[in-house]
């Protein structure tokens, strides 16, 4: 096969050589040569989205669920600018994406040509790296480099902006094995002396905790396996950020729940009172730390992260280890086994006894009802009825997202896809489409809110066109729930513009798209309705009518410390409580 080809053909060939089987995109004038090249091959599946933001989130869902790089293809100008939210989302949550954008011909750049914008300038601060390809001789190298940059080190999105004349130009194609990035070589192994120091600190800890984040998931299945092995060796409690759910099994006795603003009472108090914190692949986000000057004031802190800039960025660290989570965890497991010392068993037992006292508060409990569906109960029933299946969960953003994190339990990584850092309403449906494309036989459910789902509802057309049986499970409380909750608790009950008026009939909306619609408002009917949703072999919109005024608790108010949580029994007269399916608290 000749290596002489057009720039457009190089793009397609490079994607094939990088193992890409699915891309998400929307055509336009500045990328028509690439779309023409796609037309002449059948190795790569193109998914036509209905909005370029949808393409970015679908690529995120594909990447997050599969461990591969997500790819999107859009045109110049508004096509490129419509991806900005998705690119920023991917940057914040460390998701590897390649975003290929068309650009006006090179001789028109800077002339305010039709559908021209400064794509590299606009995306400079919302990508890990970006390129403007000015000559076809550079194109193959840049395409392969972009994949390397996107998935090595701390993953992230990379933009490749390709002018139309470069797409038409002829040039020599280079195979990936001939491409070597000369300067970007992330450090994978931790320094041996720091590994030894970390093990020594672990051996003398009396109140230790593993604080794990999305970096463990991004590092691959081996990292999750090694985390489980290290936790088993030490007997230390494990907590996780929103993005790290599933890296450590929720069913494991050492799991103490998610931490942070809506984390469990036991996880947040353990973080506050620990004497050794081992942060693995987490970045000390403000939703985790609360008030910085009161964050875990008595602990020594070990921070393991592949991104050197994360060390000491938000919180002062006692020992920083730069390296990939899977490599560093392997080093820690080997070193911990070799040193032969165990922490003080009595101190560790007392630490677990204290954690059990915090657990006894049952911070995720809520008031039971046989007349209205409680949103927590809806998620619990969804979990119980789907946990034995091959299931992937996405979410939109808001109260429903936090209830899903609290009450849907994950034992494996890559099964939970949510917008953590940016908090993007409209993420869940296109992300579910991406996950369903990656796992055609799996059950993919977007747990949504009635406000968030409308942000990218047009992607229902994408789901129908490609016969993707994604399920949208709406917790409909007729409010922008998290906004309403903050207004109630922090703004004197002044509900300024938080009521979701003029909502569509979601059942009729589903039918208008050619999907299946379900509405349920009675707790007694919920299980049967969920099973109907699962069994329908096409897209479903499930309108679950829930308690309109339920708050998502526990909650650390903005500006407060970990041990200053609003708890369920402090919010209202809770009466009969429920903390697990079928388990009542009086």
């Amino acid at each position: 096969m000749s290596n002489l080809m057009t720039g457009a053909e190089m793009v397609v060939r490079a994607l094939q050589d990088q193992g890409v089987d699915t891309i998400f995109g929307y055509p336009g004038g500045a990328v028509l040569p690439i779309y023409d090249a796609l037309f002449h091959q059948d190795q790569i599946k193109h998914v036509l989205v209905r909005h370029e933001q949808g393409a970015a989130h679908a690529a995120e869902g594909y990447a997050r669920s599969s461990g591969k790089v997500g790819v999107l293809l859009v045109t110049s100008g508004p096509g490129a600018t419509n991806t900005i939210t998705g690119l920023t989302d991917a940057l914040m949550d460390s998701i590897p994406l390649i975003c290929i954008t068309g650009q006006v011909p090179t001789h028109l750049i800077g002339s305010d040509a039709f559908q021209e914008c400064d794509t590299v300038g606009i995306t400079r601060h919302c990508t890990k790296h970006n390129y403007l390809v000015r000559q076809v001789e550079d194109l193959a190298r840049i395409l392969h480099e972009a994949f390397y940059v996107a998935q090595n080190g701390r993953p992230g999105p990379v933009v490749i902006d390709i002018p139309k004349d470069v797409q038409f130009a002829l040039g020599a194609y280079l195979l990936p094995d001939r491409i070597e990035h000369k300067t970007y070589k992330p450090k994978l192994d931790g320094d041996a002396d720091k590994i030894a120091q970390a093990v020594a600190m672990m051996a003398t800890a009396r109140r230790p905790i593993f604080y794990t984040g999305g970096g463990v998931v991004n590092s691959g299945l081996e990292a999750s396996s090694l985390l489980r092995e290290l936790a088993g060796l030490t007997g230390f409690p494990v907590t996780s950020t929103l993005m790290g759910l599933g890296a450590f099994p929720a069913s494991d006795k050492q799991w103490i729940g998610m931490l942070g603003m809506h984390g469990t009472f036991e996880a947040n108090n353990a973080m506050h009172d620990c004497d050794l914190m081992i942060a693995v692949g987490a970045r000390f986000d403000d939703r985790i730390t609360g008030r910085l000057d009161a964050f875990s004031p008595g602990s020594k802190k070990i921070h393991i992260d592949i991104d050197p800039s994360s060390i000491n960025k938000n919180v002062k660290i006692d020992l920083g280890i730069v390296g990939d989570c899977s490599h560093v965890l392997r080093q820690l497991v080997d070193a911990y086994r070799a040193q032969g010392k165990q922490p003080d068993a009595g101190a560790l037992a007392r630490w677990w006894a204290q954690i059990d006292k915090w657990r006894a508060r049952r911070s995720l409990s809520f008031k039971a009802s046989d007349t209205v569906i409680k949103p927590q109960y809806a998620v619990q029933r969804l979990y119980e009825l789907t946990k034995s299946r091959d299931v992937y969960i996405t979410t939109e953003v808001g109260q429903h997202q936090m209830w899903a994190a609290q009450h849907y339990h994950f034992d494996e990584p890559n099964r939970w896809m949510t917008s953590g850092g940016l908090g993007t309403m409209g993420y869940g449906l296109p992300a579910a489409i991406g996950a369903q494309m990656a796992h055609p036989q799996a059950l993919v459910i977007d747990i949504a809110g009635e406000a968030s789902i409308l942000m990218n509802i047009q992607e229902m057309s994408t789901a129908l066109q490609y016969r993707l049986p994604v399920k949208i499970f709406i917790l409909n409380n007729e409010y922008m729930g998290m906004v309403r909750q903050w207004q109630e608790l922090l703004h004197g009950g002044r509900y300024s513009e938080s009521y979701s008026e003029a909502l569509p009939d979601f059942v009729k909306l589903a039918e208008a798209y050619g999907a299946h619609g379900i509405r349920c408002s009675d707790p007694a009917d919920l299980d049967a309705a969920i099973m109907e949703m699962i069994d329908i072999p096409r897209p479903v919109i499930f309108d679950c009518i829930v308690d309109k005024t339920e708050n998502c608790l526990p909650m650390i108010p903005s500006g407060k410390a970990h041990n200053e949580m609003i708890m369920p029994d402090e919010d209202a007269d809770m009466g009969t409580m429920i903390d697990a399916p079928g388990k009542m608290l009086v």
Side-chain angles (χ1 to χ4, degrees):
M1 182 183 293
S2 170
N3 69 340
L4 190 66
M5 59 187 73
T6 67
E9 292 168 335
M10 284 186 194
V11 171
V12 175
R13 176 67 185 278
L15 295 179
Q16 293 172 340
D17 287 346
Q18 290 290 340
V20 175
D21 55 25
T22 306
I23 66 173
F24 305 87
Y26 202 96
V31 282
L32 286 185
I34 299 174
Y35 272 89
D36 193 54
L38 282 170
F39 183 84
H40 290 94
Q41 59 84 52
D42 58 8
Q43 189 173 327
I44 298 171
K45 176 77 171 179
H46 178 277
V47 177
L48 178 66
V49 297
R50 270 46 179 184
H51 191 285
E52 290 88 355
Q53 182 184 349
H57 294 323
E60 285 188 275
Y62 179 92
R64 185 75 175 176
S65 66
S66 68
K68 300 177 182 179
V69 176
V71 181
L72 60 150
L73 172 63
V74 300
T75 195
S76 63
T81 58
N82 280 346
T83 69
I84 297 301
T85 298
L87 292 173
T88 309
D89 193 274
L91 183 69
M92 293 283 280
D93 287 343
S94 304
I95 309 300
L97 296 187
I98 298 294
C99 176
I100 299 170
T101 61
Q103 183 56 274
V104 300
T106 52
H107 69 277
L108 290 179
I109 291 176
S111 70
D112 293 331
F114 177 67
Q115 290 193 333
E116 181 195 0
C117 73
D118 179 10
T119 301
V120 293
I122 291 170
T123 63
R124 183 164 290 122
H125 299 292
C126 64
T127 56
K128 185 177 178 182
H129 194 55
N130 62 16
Y131 300 88
L132 171 60
V133 186
R134 289 187 172 271
Q135 51 192 19
V136 73
E137 290 79 9
D138 295 329
L139 181 56
R141 172 187 59 81
I142 286 173
L143 287 162
H144 296 311
E145 266 188 22
F147 275 87
Y148 176 88
V149 172
Q151 61 192 319
N152 283 275
R154 179 179 176 180
V158 177
V159 163
I160 309 170
D161 196 33
I162 311 175
K164 194 168 184 179
D165 57 324
V166 174
Q167 297 172 41
F168 279 122
L170 282 172
Y173 177 73
L174 299 176
L175 292 169
D177 57 8
R178 297 180 59 186
I179 306 298
E180 181 177 305
H181 200 285
K182 295 181 180 179
T183 58
Y184 183 60
K185 299 186 183 297
K187 191 172 184 289
L188 300 179
D189 291 331
D191 293 338
D193 59 335
K194 292 186 176 181
I195 296 294
Q197 187 178 346
V199 168
M201 293 170 71
M202 291 163 64
T204 57
R206 301 175 69 83
R207 299 185 308 280
I209 189 170
F210 284 110
Y211 152 42
T212 62
V216 181
V217 178
N218 289 340
S219 188
L221 295 178
E222 184 183 9
S224 295
S225 177
L226 288 166
L227 173 63
R228 298 167 194 218
E229 185 176 354
L230 185 59
L233 284 172
T234 61
F236 295 175
V238 183
T239 184
S240 166
T241 66
L242 180 73
M243 295 303 296
L245 294 176
F248 191 81
S251 61
D252 194 285
K253 63 182 180 181
Q254 289 175 242
W255 171 249
I256 60 172
M258 182 179 73
L259 78 156
M261 179 170 282
H262 293 284
T264 65
F265 187 68
E266 54 268 30
N268 282 327
N269 276 284
M271 284 284 281
H272 186 271
D273 287 1
C274 69
D275 70 344
L276 178 65
M277 178 188 302
I278 306 144
V280 188
R283 58 187 179 88
F284 293 93
D285 174 73
D286 65 289
R287 286 299 197 252
I288 296 301
T289 62
R291 201 174 83 235
L292 278 173
D293 62 358
F295 174 66
S296 195
S299 69
K300 298 288 186 181
K301 299 174 181 67
I302 300 171
H303 189 188
I304 300 164
D305 204 292
I306 198 163
D307 182 2
S309 70
S310 290
I311 308 294
N312 286 312
K313 181 178 181 179
N314 296 327
V315 171
K316 186 181 183 303
I317 299 303
D318 297 281
L319 177 63
I321 302 176
V322 176
D324 183 85
C325 286
S326 61
H327 288 246
V328 175
L329 285 170
R330 167 55 64 195
Q331 290 175 286
L332 287 173
V333 166
D334 291 344
Y336 194 87
R337 288 187 185 278
Q339 56 91 27
K341 296 179 182 177
Q342 291 293 329
D344 184 318
L348 192 57
R350 289 189 292 275
W351 179 227
W352 273 111
Q354 176 59 67
I355 290 171
D356 287 340
K357 288 180 181 178
W358 289 323
R359 272 178 170 162
R361 290 290 302 273
R362 302 196 183 277
S363 60
L364 299 184
S365 58
F366 56 94
K367 187 176 181 179
S369 173
D370 58 5
T371 59
V372 63
I373 298 174
K374 293 290 185 174
Q376 305 95 318
Y377 180 73
V379 176
Q380 286 182 349
R381 295 315 302 156
L382 183 68
Y383 169 70
E384 289 296 324
L385 295 170
T386 60
K387 65 181 181 181
S388 62
R389 299 172 183 263
D390 182 20
V391 63
Y392 293 81
I393 300 294
T394 71
T395 78
E396 308 293 333
V397 167
Q399 284 179 318
H400 64 273
Q401 175 191 31
M402 294 298 107
W403 282 318
Q406 292 172 339
H407 297 281
Y408 201 103
H409 309 297
F410 298 91
D411 280 353
E412 300 296 334
N414 303 108
R415 300 292 177 142
W416 164 251
M417 286 142 283
T418 194
S419 175
L422 193 61
T424 305
M425 295 173 71
Y427 169 90
L429 173 53
I433 288 170
Q436 192 79 78
M437 285 299 301
H439 307 278
Q441 304 305 314
L443 174 63
V444 181
I445 304 171
D446 172 26
I447 299 176
E450 83 291 332
S452 279
I453 193 60
L454 294 177
M455 289 280 188
N456 274 316
I457 193 64
Q458 76 283 342
E459 298 308 326
M460 281 297 295
S461 290
T462 306
L464 266 297
Q465 178 174 340
Y466 295 93
R467 296 177 175 84
L468 302 174
V470 295
K471 319 298 184 185
I472 303 172
F473 190 72
I474 301 173
L475 301 182
N476 185 349
N477 58 12
E478 298 183 1
Y479 278 98
M480 286 175 269
M482 195 62 82
V483 174
R484 182 205 59 75
Q485 176 170 329
W486 280 53
Q487 289 173 337
E488 176 186 327
L489 299 178
L490 306 176
H491 295 276
R494 294 179 292 278
Y495 302 120
S496 177
E497 302 298 325
S498 56
Y499 181 60
S500 297
E501 294 190 73
L503 287 172
D505 180 324
F506 285 108
V507 172
K508 289 182 178 178
L509 183 62
E511 293 168 351
Y513 276 108
H516 184 75
I518 301 171
R519 179 177 295 110
C520 183
S521 59
D522 188 337
D525 298 332
L526 183 58
D527 280 17
I530 290 174
M531 291 307 300
E532 180 186 349
M533 177 188 76
I534 294 169
D535 293 337
I536 293 289
R538 65 181 194 272
V540 176
I541 298 179
F542 188 123
D543 189 14
C544 187
I545 310 301
V546 300
D547 190 329
K548 292 177 174 51
T549 59
E550 189 76 4
N551 284 330
C552 183
L553 299 173
M555 173 183 173
I556 303 174
S558 182
K560 298 295 184 179
H562 268 178
N563 59 347
E564 298 177 284
M565 304 179 73
I566 299 175
M567 296 289 284
D569 56 348
E570 297 168 4
D571 179 58
D573 177 14
M574 302 302 289
T576 301
M577 304 289 288
I578 183 168
D579 74 335
K583 186 173 183 180
M584 307 298 292
L585 305 172
V586 179

